[in-house]
Amino acid sequence: MKRVVIIGSGIGGLTAGNLLAKKGHDVTIFESHSKPGGYTAGFRRNGFYFESGTLGLEASASVFKAMKDIGVSDQIEFVRQKSRWIAEDFDGVPTSYGEFKEMLYSAYPREKQRLDRFFTELDKMIAAMGDMDKPMPYLYSGISFIVSVLSYLPGGIKSAGIMKKYGDMTASDFAGIFFEKDSKLYRMFAGMGYYADMAAYLIAGGLLGIFYDYWTVKNGMQSWADVLADNFQKLGGKLLLASRVDSITTKNSAAVGVVSKGTRYDTDYVIAACDYKQVMLKLLDDQNLLPEKTRKKIGDAPVSEGVFTVYLGLDLSNEELQRQMVVPHVFCLDLNSSGVIDDSGDEQFFEKTSINLYSPSLVNPGLAPQGKSSLMLQTSVPHRWMQNWGSGDRKTYRRLKQKAMETMIEKATKVIPGLKDVIAYKDAATPLTYERFTHNTDGATSSFSWNPKKKFYENAMGVKVETPVKNLLIGSCWAMQIGGIPGAIAGAYQSVNKIN
Ligand SMILES: Cc1cc2nc3c(=O)[nH]c(=O)nc-3n(C[C@H](O)[C@H](O)[C@H](O)COP(=O)(O)OP(=O)(O)OC[C@H]3O[C@@H](n4cnc5c(N)ncnc54)[C@H](O)[C@@H]3O)c2cc1C
């Protein structure tokens, strides 16, 4: 039996904690927030439940395997999601990639040839994505890992050509080959996803995910985290909430403990299931353990964009909201303007951006008071927008946040006319809010940058849990370039595999 300290109770920390406690290890999770969950969490205000940030998940085969391995599958109800897509020229709920293509062909008949050429190449990338029904190899160890990797080999060989052609391209490079710069279709595909200039092949991954593998948790993300936290404690694990780890103690280049609230806890292993930069640049008690070059590389590594979220409690029945939204999740695209996600100085950014609408109470009416409904509005935001939301000046921060919130609400009235008149509760979270609650650098939503030209890890699809410090492992989404829930689960499994 080993003593293991886990920093963070996001999906990565909770997965690692459960797997290790199940194996009989002595595990303590330290969580700085008063509730478990990290980015997979939620909260109630005035009787309305809201997701903190993360609305759904893909890569369900990996998630379901993890929940089965832990033994909590029957306690969490995952439900499939459909999405409505609205822009000036189309409005539909495509339920397959084929229907999505048809929607665009009928919206832009004059662009048929360009669309043909674009989809011919995108189809090849989609075919190269391989079997999405299988869990990632990183959730296995030993022979099973090798068998799982080998099963990807034929697909990998087949896809080598297309990946060589487009593997290092960004979505805007790729869209620019087929569509005129600043045309609506260019904007649609260049700006697809949460991130600035994400890798082109993630357009393929994103569309596959949205149409065939997009899920949410019926009772809300917080219920998922709570189930995992309860199970962990039933297995004998200790969960210390409101307990921030202030430093990681090292001896002879190895992690040997952590310090929280002035108390030192000795341990055999530390799994950092949280932000990578914080761990390496702030928590290590001996910065000389990392060569200057490594510290600089970590410090300079760009992270994924943060989001701005508006939370609305509505004096509107779910039936009425459903009549307007049709499904709980709506992409409301603004393809006329050119909101540039990497222009941090553009004060008009929110006027130009596309938004997502999501209603937790349309997924589960129990998530809002009787006769009412809940709505969230989201967009990704340029890094450190407007001198990081006002350079620390509270008044400027409040003004920017208020204006962004009102602009997002105005945009949502395209889908829900009269929205402003039925708002019973409203608030918003900026990337700084997310950073405050989760300690992810600049409120990064999903690990490092998704831009293939700004890679931190050589292999963007690899999982790297080892650090230059012995017995210090990365068990969060930060073990993978593009992180996400699968990245966090993969980081957790790979960390657990290192502890015998
Ligand atoms: C708006 C939004 C949408 C998203 N959509 C998707 C999606 O569709 N699909 C998908 O796969 N992913 C999505 N993601 C990303 C995904 O939610 C995250 O990558 C994943 O949940 C991260 O889990 P984690 O365990 O690695 O870390 P986190 O959830 O960040 O958890 C880290 C935890 O560590 C705690 N902590 C940090 N430092 C300390 C410390 N010093 N001491 C104690 N505790 C500490 C934090 O409080 C936090 O609870 C989305 C994220 C956001 C914000």
Side-chain angles (χ1 to χ4, degrees), residues 320-441:
E320 183 55 25
L321 186 62
Q322 166 125 28
R323 207 177 57 74
Q324 317 219 33
M325 285 180 65
V326 184
V327 288
H329 189 220
V330 180
F331 295 114
C332 185
L333 307 178
D334 187 341
L335 304 177
N336 286 315
S337 52
S338 47
V340 181
I341 180 87
D342 51 12
D343 184 356
S344 300
D346 180 5
E347 189 160 3
Q348 306 310 312
F349 171 78
F350 283 88
E351 273 84 350
K352 301 172 189 167
T353 189
S354 299
I355 64 169
N356 286 346
L357 289 81
Y358 176 75
S359 167
S361 69
L362 286 189
V363 174
N364 178 354
L367 299 180
Q370 186 82 28
K372 297 176 194 263
S373 56
S374 55
L375 181 66
M376 296 170 62
L377 314 175
Q378 253 180 4
T379 184
S380 41
V381 199
H383 270 298
R384 302 181 150 241
W385 183 64
M386 299 302 290
Q387 282 89 41
N388 210 13
W389 295 80
S391 317
D393 176 59
R394 294 298 304 165
K395 228 168 113 190
T396 312
Y397 177 78
R398 273 198 293 270
R399 179 179 63 75
L400 290 170
K401 179 175 156 180
Q402 185 69 23
K403 184 154 177 272
M405 180 162 68
E406 297 308 335
T407 309
M408 297 273 284
I409 292 171
E410 181 64 42
K411 289 208 155 205
T413 58
K414 278 190 201 140
V415 185
I416 308 163
L419 175 64
K420 283 184 234 167
D421 302 329
V422 292
I423 296 174
Y425 168 84
K426 69 176 167 185
D427 201 354
T430 69
L432 294 188
T433 318
Y434 286 110
E435 184 171 29
R436 184 155 52 87
F437 279 100
T438 66
H439 310 294
N440 283 299
T441 301

Side-chain angles (χ1 to χ4, degrees), residues 9 14 29-37 226 229 233 238-244 260-261:
S9 69
L14 289 170
I29 300 181
F30 288 79
E31 169 54 57
S32 64
H33 192 29
S34 55
K35 283 190 306 185
D226 290 344
Q233 292 174 95
K238 292 177 277 296
L239 173 62
L240 306 182
L241 296 173
S243 300
R244 183 168 187 179
S260 175
K261 297 193 212 168

Side-chain angles (χ1 to χ4, degrees), residues 68-87:
K68 194 160 168 243
D69 288 349
I70 291 169
V72 293
S73 292
D74 57 340
Q75 297 174 53
I76 308 148
E77 193 179 341
F78 293 101
V79 283
R80 270 292 295 276
Q81 292 287 286
K82 286 185 200 153
S83 303
R84 179 176 166 199
W85 299 67
I86 303 180

Side-chain angles (χ1 to χ4, degrees), residues 7-13 30-33 37-40 53-58 194 214 243-245 273-274 278 283 307 378 437-440 445-446 476-477 483-486 488:
I7 309 174
S9 69
I11 195 68
F30 288 79
E31 169 54 57
S32 64
H33 192 29
Y39 271 148
T40 42
T54 309
L55 309 176
L57 57 104
E58 307 82 13
Y194 275 118
Y214 191 48
S243 300
R244 183 168 187 179
V245 166
C274 56
Q278 177 201 184
L283 295 188
V307 288
Q378 253 180 4
F437 279 100
T438 66
H439 310 294
N440 283 299
T445 48
S446 197
S476 66
C477 70
I485 291 171

